[in-house]
Amino acid sequence: MALILADPLASRAVLIGVGAYHEPELADLPAVANNLRSLTDILTDPLRCGLPSESITVVSDPRTPVAVAQAVAKAADEATDALLVYYAGHGMRAGRRRELYLAVAESSVEFSDVDCLPYQRLRDTVLDSPAAVKIVILDCCFSGAALDGMGGGPAGQVVIDGAYVLTATSATKLAMAPVGAEHTAFTGELVGLLTEGLPGGGEYLSLDTVYHHVSQRLRSKGLPRAEAAARNTSGAFTLARNVAATASPAPESVSQPSIVDESPATEVAPAQTAKVPAAPPAAEVVWTVERVGPVVRGIRRPIPPLVATHQRNTWKIALDVKSREPATFAPPVAGDTLLMAGTDHRLYGLDALTGAVRWAFAEPERSLVRPVLVAGSRVLVCDDGGQVHCIDSGTGERQWRHPIAGPAERTALVADGANVYVAVRDDLATPDLTAVDLATGAERWRHRIDARLPVLAPGGHVVVRRENRVVSLAADSGEDRWARELVGGPVASIADTDGVVVGTDAGRVASLAPASGEIRWQVVPKPRPLLLRFASEMPLEWVLAAADGVVVAARPEGKRVYGLDRETGETGWYMHANGWGGPFSAITIAGGAAYFATRDLHAVEAATGRVRWTLRTGYYPGAVTLAGDIACFGVGEHLYAVDTATGTVRWRHLVGRWHATAPTLTNGLVAFVNDAAAATALRL
């Protein structure tokens, strides 16, 4: 459960380095800047630690102790899985009790107990964090003084689970920073080990392994040896992958949910795990449009001018909804037309084969925003003025528009052959569902619903949640066809012509007949995962998919995946996917296989649960899109294409921070759009 095995989005790292000092008696340490750069590269490398860059805070040459304390406190509050705090700079012992103080840029030797950061303050902040794993690495003189109370400490100290301290020296020794060296001595050996790996070692480098080998390397060079202290079994937590591993054993210590086997279902054995090669083949770029906006040629009709205030805004549709940071997205596609936002608030249609702009659609004094829905030859998009527009995908001409009952960013669009259903999730009002005629834009009916369950339109009826019931509405009138109450509140559902499958927050999965709502079966897939103590408040969720007579149901919070017989609900197989605590992608079923991603990407036989292959990417992949014998997905800052039969990587392409959506595939190409409104198509 350390950085490589924990949920990267729930982990935080703070890297503090002070290399330039105002006080002449404190020598500058130019190598510290390189320490911070190298450790940042290692922590964000998906083949080593795999932390997203937004989970790392770098504090370089802070002037005051407050700047350091604030950065550590923020990360400590946010981290729920792993917290790492690294400091490199001058350490001093001061005060009557000769305690450890960490220098900042404006610190002085004479008043070190006043203008330095007391290590005791940093220690208390770290120990108060809800993080399951707490790691402190100190590269400074006298850093061994930090071991008292945080890790081993005296017997009277309170035991803190998961605390580990790694220091450059003992409590009485000076740390070394060789003149002209790229890194300080201790961090240089640490960076070298994590970068080069440990030949002949296992797949993972635990904290204890890192300590012993760094200390050994320092002693072999006549330098002060490192020291460490741990509470309980924290030394066995994994810090990074061993890139020099020759074998792939299980992690040295992986905390997983306990398993209670209450069912005769067959547990699937672990698969042969493949790794992404260090230098996979590059993708072939078919075309790139650097900037889609008013300067792009090829627009077939003139664009009406926009008001000045509108033009000053820059619309970035490629924006991560949760973090509000730039991201790369898969654009919607209508036939051979790619749909994307320009830099000028317009919606553009691009020729998928060439990248040429076919048309542009603008609503004066309005910004077009997500969601964008493709329904046959029609494109539906909302604006920020409270309207949904229906556009012809071939010409870009508007066919109709209709007002919506809430903000566009809280609106979901679902369509069948006759209607588009506009669901508004508004915290200030009861969720609203409106059925609009797809051909004319006329409103057909309106209903109040519970937005906690997605709206499904499998044809002929609409499936929604109302309070704790699953309700089927007639598509033509909106009248109730049936309503069923299950054990627990519905939290996930899928629907097709064979029926409706629902997952509830009571841990059950149910199958309902599409015409009558009759409960065909309602089961608790077994064995049930038991939550770890520090995740007992995680909401129970389901990820569902169905095909070929099998329902594949996944419990993301425990990474348990089940194969259920669609007719009876019996558990035919189950498996435990790794990556506990992190995200779980949508499940794609095709060609008899189910594809899903936790920390790794898995391909599993839907009927039997036999694992075809598992691809270890180093981070959490997004949903998979399939095209023939190729599976395409995004992870970290790359798009990948892999062979569906073997999991072999065919190519990898750098795209920037990938938003966890399924890639867009059309006519043998995969397309993506970044936050600068640049579109690119790669050949599969």
Side-chain angles (χ1 to χ4, degrees):
M1 184 68 57
L3 294 178
I4 190 66
L5 295 177
D7 177 2
L9 300 180
S11 299
R12 296 292 184 270
V14 184
L15 306 181
I16 308 155
V18 188
Y21 296 88
H22 298 182
E23 168 69 52
E25 294 186 41
L26 293 175
D28 287 345
L29 303 171
V32 167
N34 293 330
N35 291 0
L36 299 181
R37 282 191 289 268
S38 297
L39 289 174
T40 299
D41 291 342
I42 290 169
L43 290 175
T44 56
D45 186 347
L47 297 181
R48 290 174 173 84
C49 294
L51 275 181
S53 57
E54 58 268 27
S55 294
I56 301 173
T57 300
V58 178
V59 185
S60 180
D61 292 331
R63 296 176 56 191
T64 65
V66 174
V68 178
Q70 289 176 336
V72 175
K74 183 176 184 293
D77 288 342
E78 294 175 351
T80 56
D81 225 340
L83 172 65
L84 182 148
V85 178
Y86 166 89
Y87 171 85
H90 284 297
M92 291 179 280
R93 305 200 71 170
R96 305 180 85 180
R97 290 182 291 183
R98 309 300 295 164
E99 294 178 335
L100 177 64
Y101 287 80
L102 307 179
V104 294
E106 295 185 354
S107 295
S108 63
V109 175
E110 183 178 0
F111 299 103
S112 56
D113 57 341
V114 176
D115 51 23
C116 293
L117 177 68
Y119 175 74
Q120 184 72 19
R121 173 63 183 268
L122 184 146
R123 169 190 177 275
D124 291 345
T125 301
V126 171
L127 292 184
D128 288 341
S129 170
V133 184
K134 307 171 182 71
I135 306 165
V136 175
I137 301 177
L138 299 178
D139 187 355
C140 63
C141 298
F142 315 118
S143 52
L147 303 182
D148 184 19
M150 179 73 167
Q157 293 290 333
V158 177
V159 175
I160 303 293
D161 290 339
Y164 194 94
V165 182
L166 178 61
T167 69
T169 68
S170 69
T172 60
K173 296 290 182 66
L174 300 176
M176 297 292 105
V179 177
E182 182 180 5
H183 303 97
T184 58
F186 167 77
T187 299
E189 298 302 332
L190 175 64
V191 167
L193 177 62
L194 299 181
T195 301
E196 301 165 4
L198 184 63
E203 184 179 0
Y204 297 90
L205 297 174
S206 70
L207 290 168
D208 278 345
T209 299
V210 169
Y211 157 63
H212 287 300
H213 285 275
V214 168
S215 185
Q216 185 179 43
R217 292 182 181 192
L218 289 169
R219 291 186 66 183
S220 68
K221 297 179 180 181
L223 297 171
R225 72 182 189 91
E227 294 200 358
R231 275 300 186 186
N232 297 341
T233 60
S234 59
F237 286 114
T238 302
L239 180 62
R241 294 186 188 278
N242 180 14
V243 295
T246 56
S248 297
E252 297 165 63
S253 177
V254 183
S255 299
Q256 298 287 10
S258 300
I259 304 303
V260 179
D261 193 350
E262 305 172 302
S263 167
T266 302
E267 181 176 11
V268 178
Q272 181 76 24
T273 300
K275 295 182 181 179
V276 174
E284 176 188 350
V285 178
V286 179
W287 56 259
T288 297
V289 179
E290 292 296 337
R291 182 173 181 267
V292 176
V295 299
V296 174
R297 299 176 180 177
I299 301 175
R300 293 182 175 178
R301 61 188 179 87
I303 304 300
L306 303 179
V307 297
T309 56
H310 187 103
Q311 291 176 332
R312 285 199 297 268
N313 298 325
T314 299
W315 182 39
K316 294 184 177 181
I317 194 170
L319 198 69
D320 188 299
V321 176
K322 292 183 178 179
S323 67
R324 309 303 300 170
E325 294 184 0
T328 300
F329 279 81
V333 60
D336 60 353
T337 300
L338 292 178
L339 306 167
M340 64 170 291
T343 59
D344 52 359
H345 300 252
R346 294 169 169 86
L347 180 69
Y348 284 84
L350 276 64
D351 187 312
L353 296 178
T354 66
V357 176
R358 289 178 168 174
W359 52 260
F361 174 80
E363 177 68 1
E365 301 187 31
R366 293 286 184 265
S367 296
L368 300 175
V369 297
R370 293 192 304 272
V372 176
L373 174 69
V374 176
S377 62
R378 297 179 175 90
V379 178
L380 297 131
V381 61
C382 297
D383 66 33
D384 62 357
Q387 298 183 106
V388 59
H389 303 263
C390 180
I391 305 166
D392 185 288
S393 65
T395 65
E397 299 288 343
R398 180 171 55 206
Q399 297 180 343
W400 53 260
R401 60 184 171 187
H402 190 280
I404 57 179
E409 62 269 17
R410 292 182 173 271
T411 299
L413 302 176
V414 180
D416 56 21
N419 299 330
V420 56
Y421 304 97
V422 184
V424 178
R425 300 172 174 88
D426 193 343
D427 293 339
L428 303 179
T430 304
D432 181 272
L433 177 66
T434 304
V436 179
D437 188 287
L438 192 55
T440 66
E443 183 173 317
R444 306 189 73 172
W445 50 263
R446 182 172 295 198
H447 251 293
R448 298 296 186 185
I449 61 170
D450 188 327
R452 286 174 291 178
L453 193 70
V455 174
L456 304 174
H461 70 130
V462 185
V463 180
V464 299
R465 171 174 173 165
R466 188 185 297 145
E467 296 178 345
N468 277 337
R469 293 177 296 167
V470 180
V471 180
S472 171
L473 307 175
D476 55 354
S477 65
E479 296 179 354
D480 286 13
R481 296 171 70 246
W482 49 259
R484 290 291 178 270
E485 187 168 351
L486 304 174
V487 178
V491 294
S493 60
I494 55 175
D496 55 25
T497 55
D498 292 333
V500 180
V501 179
V502 181
T504 77
D505 57 14
R508 295 175 180 259
V509 179
S511 175
L512 311 178
S516 63
E518 175 189 358
I519 300 177
R520 292 168 170 169
W521 48 262
Q522 186 172 192
V523 301
V524 178
K526 298 178 180 179
R528 291 175 290 182
L530 298 181
L531 298 183
L532 298 179
R533 58 173 180 79
F534 51 85
S536 59
E537 297 182 0
M538 289 181 63
L540 195 155
E541 299 177 349
W542 287 99
V543 178
L544 304 171
D548 303 327
V550 178
V551 174
V552 179
R555 289 272 297 270
E557 86 287 353
K559 294 299 184 289
R560 178 73 73 177
V561 186
Y562 306 91
L564 309 178
D565 186 284
R566 183 146 192 183
E567 292 296 322
T568 65
E570 293 182 0
T571 303
W573 56 266
Y574 68 91
M575 66 175 288
H576 181 265
N578 60 4
W580 190 94
F584 199 107
S585 76
I587 301 172
T588 303
I589 302 180
Y595 300 85
F596 54 88
T598 53
R599 180 169 56 83
D600 301 333
L601 180 64
H602 308 269
V604 178
E605 297 285 352
T608 65
R610 185 183 69 85
V611 181
R612 289 184 177 180
W613 49 262
T614 297
L615 179 65
R616 181 156 293 167
T617 63
Y619 192 53
Y620 292 85
V624 172
T625 302
L626 300 173
D629 61 349
I630 295 178
C632 193
F633 63 94
V635 54
E637 296 185 343
H638 292 85
L639 273 180
Y640 287 83
V642 303
D643 189 291
T644 57
T646 64
T648 303
V649 177
R650 294 195 176 184
W651 54 255
R652 181 179 72 179
H653 188 82
L654 182 66
V655 298
R657 184 172 179 269
W658 181 258
H659 186 270
T661 53
T664 295
L665 307 184
T666 178
N667 297 313
L669 306 177
V670 54
F672 60 90
V673 178
N674 68 16
D675 66 300
T680 302
L682 309 174
R683 193 176 307 282
L684 286 174

